[in-house]
Amino acid sequence: YPTTIKVINAPDHIGSDLRGTDIMQMYGALTRISEDGSTLAVVERGARSNQSNSDEIFIYKWQNNDWAKITSFDCGNEKCGNSYYSGTELSDDGNVIAFTSDENIYVYEYKEATNDDGSTSMQYIQKGDTIIFPKSDDGYQYSYSSLDLHPTGNMLVGRADVTGQTSSQLGSNFTIYDFSQDNAWVQRGSTFIDSSNSWRNYGKVKISPTGNIIAWATTDHSGDSSCDNIRGRVGILTWSGSAWLETDSITSCDFAYQPSWHDSENNVSNYIGRDLQFNASGTHLAVASENYVYIETPNNTKNYSDNGVYHIHPISTTGTISYDSSPLHMPYGFNGSNEAWPSYGGESLAFHRGDALGT
């Protein structure tokens, strides 16, 4: 059946339910709500009634004490905005939306526009030209896998992951753009390429509210061979005034991963950087990771528990990370047969505007 989306505020249900219309569509494949709570973006993906794929992004505004559909972006047969690693983002006020569509990034802004009959109305109109990731030098067209939009809506970063062995762009490519006074997206600095592990290079990317620091995660990075079963890497880019430079990173051996109750006789498997978030002032970076750990159950059997681990790292204005915070571990539980069940933590997190962490 079509998916239903509910919006809640503490214990309160806010507005009417939003429901998909086609049982073949994955309505709500990704959702985003603006920081001020005024705007909601819902990505729908998949085939409509057994037809070809047709992804669509719906935009709702809070009007007259309910959610009103303002517009939608139909991407046809292209995959748009639905990346697991964040293909759709809103500005803090909800008036700017950016989304990926294969090799393209589209940005729209909600503003007054002139209609065909000469009247004016508020509409989402394209903000600047479409940003296109260039073909690689081996002739293949790679797509943007994720993006992030600055809270102001005037800066963005796109990530394209190139896997062609003959390409000089092999690895994760990061392109950063500012919106200029000439109403155009202008790339800031050259494209930065992280080629440290080119075949396991997918993950999220985030812009600090300061606008001068970028964090990205490569969740399935093979890691350091001296640290067993730990995958993932978080990299930090800092704007020097003329170029983007990698100033720090979190690798597998930096990761304080084992909770006190783990079974030390068995290996622990980790995936660092499932999600990344900066706090509102850009002074801290939160990193969510999955932690598969063997535990001993009440009936003396051993089983894996999918246990989320969350680290909050102070980050300096020069892009260096500190490690003075203890990790937060999600709890695990047992079912009626005394077998461990996973908590499925580590998939996502968020900072409240007041800088409190939520998972």
Side-chain angles (χ1 to χ4, degrees):
Y1 294 97
T3 304
T4 298
I5 294 175
K6 297 178 183 290
V7 180
I8 60 174
N9 179 13
D12 299 322
H13 184 189
I14 305 299
S16 302
D17 291 348
L18 304 175
R19 186 175 173 83
T21 58
D22 195 307
I23 61 172
M24 301 299 294
Q25 289 286 95
M26 288 187 286
Y27 180 80
L30 185 147
T31 60
R32 290 288 182 265
I33 193 165
S34 61
E35 184 69 30
D36 66 0
S38 68
T39 308
L40 181 66
V42 179
V43 177
E44 182 178 74
R45 62 176 301 190
R48 291 180 183 154
S49 299
N50 295 316
Q51 298 177 2
S52 60
N53 288 340
S54 183
D55 292 351
E56 192 165 359
I57 303 172
F58 298 90
I59 305 296
Y60 303 88
K61 288 278 189 183
W62 183 252
Q63 296 178 351
N64 300 318
N65 295 318
D66 207 351
W67 295 106
K69 179 184 171 184
I70 302 299
T71 190
S72 66
F73 303 100
D74 191 335
C75 300
N77 289 328
E78 293 184 352
K79 295 179 180 179
C80 72
N82 61 18
S83 167
Y84 171 79
Y85 299 107
S86 298
T88 302
E89 295 294 342
L90 293 168
S91 61
D92 271 6
D93 63 7
N95 288 334
V96 180
I97 180 173
F99 58 89
T100 60
S101 179
D102 290 341
E103 71 272 18
N104 305 306
I105 293 177
Y106 297 100
V107 186
Y108 287 83
E109 185 171 17
Y110 193 59
K111 59 193 302 184
E112 190 173 70
T114 303
N115 301 312
D116 293 339
D117 61 3
S119 62
T120 61
S121 62
M122 295 295 293
Q123 304 173 30
Y124 276 95
I125 61 174
Q126 189 164 3
K127 181 174 182 172
D129 293 332
T130 303
I131 296 171
I132 304 174
F133 187 73
K135 283 188 176 181
S136 63
D137 49 20
D138 59 359
Y140 192 82
Q141 181 65 70
Y142 290 91
S143 299
Y144 280 108
S145 61
S146 58
L147 62 76
D148 193 29
L149 183 67
H150 190 267
T152 63
N154 290 321
M155 176 188 176
L156 63 82
V157 55
R159 174 177 183 161
D161 298 296
V162 176
T163 57
Q165 285 184 304
T166 61
S167 173
S168 62
Q169 297 162 285
L170 182 64
S172 296
N173 291 242
F174 300 94
T175 55
I176 295 94
Y177 291 86
D178 295 302
F179 195 68
S180 72
Q181 294 180 345
D182 297 325
N183 295 321
W185 291 104
V186 178
Q187 187 169 351
R188 191 200 305 186
S190 301
T191 300
F192 180 86
I193 301 176
D194 172 32
S195 57
S196 62
N197 195 339
S198 56
W199 288 102
R200 297 182 182 275
N201 57 1
Y202 296 96
K204 292 190 175 181
V205 61
K206 286 294 178 181
I207 302 172
S208 168
T210 66
N212 291 321
I213 296 177
I214 305 291
W216 83 90
T218 304
T219 308
D220 206 23
H221 188 289
S222 60
D224 190 317
S225 59
S226 64
C227 301
D228 293 339
N229 285 343
I230 305 176
R231 294 186 179 276
R233 178 176 182 269
V234 175
I236 303 295
L237 289 181
T238 304
W239 178 245
S240 69
S242 59
W244 291 100
L245 305 175
E246 185 173 358
T247 52
D248 210 342
S249 64
I250 303 170
T251 66
S252 53
C253 289
D254 297 322
F255 188 61
Y257 56 89
Q258 291 181 346
S260 59
W261 40 259
H262 84 289
D263 176 10
S264 59
E265 295 178 1
N266 292 277
N267 288 332
V268 180
S269 180
N270 298 272
Y271 294 85
I272 303 170
R274 284 293 193 194
D275 198 9
L276 303 170
Q277 292 292 339
F278 286 98
N279 65 341
S281 55
T283 59
H284 289 76
L285 174 68
V287 179
S289 305
E290 284 185 274
N291 185 47
Y292 295 89
V293 58
Y294 264 116
I295 60 175
E296 188 167 324
T297 63
N299 62 357
N300 296 318
T301 62
K302 294 178 180 180
N303 199 357
Y304 268 119
S305 175
D306 182 359
N307 172 258
V309 184
Y310 302 88
H311 289 75
I312 303 175
H313 298 279
I315 185 167
S316 72
T317 57
T318 57
T320 56
I321 296 171
S322 301
Y323 296 88
D324 61 359
S325 57
S326 298
L328 307 173
H329 292 279
M330 291 292 286
Y332 66 95
F334 301 99
N335 62 19
S337 300
N338 288 327
E339 297 294 334
W341 61 28
S343 61
Y344 293 105
E347 290 287 347
S348 62
L349 52 74
F351 273 109
H352 184 267
R353 184 183 292 274
D355 286 352
L357 181 68
T359 62

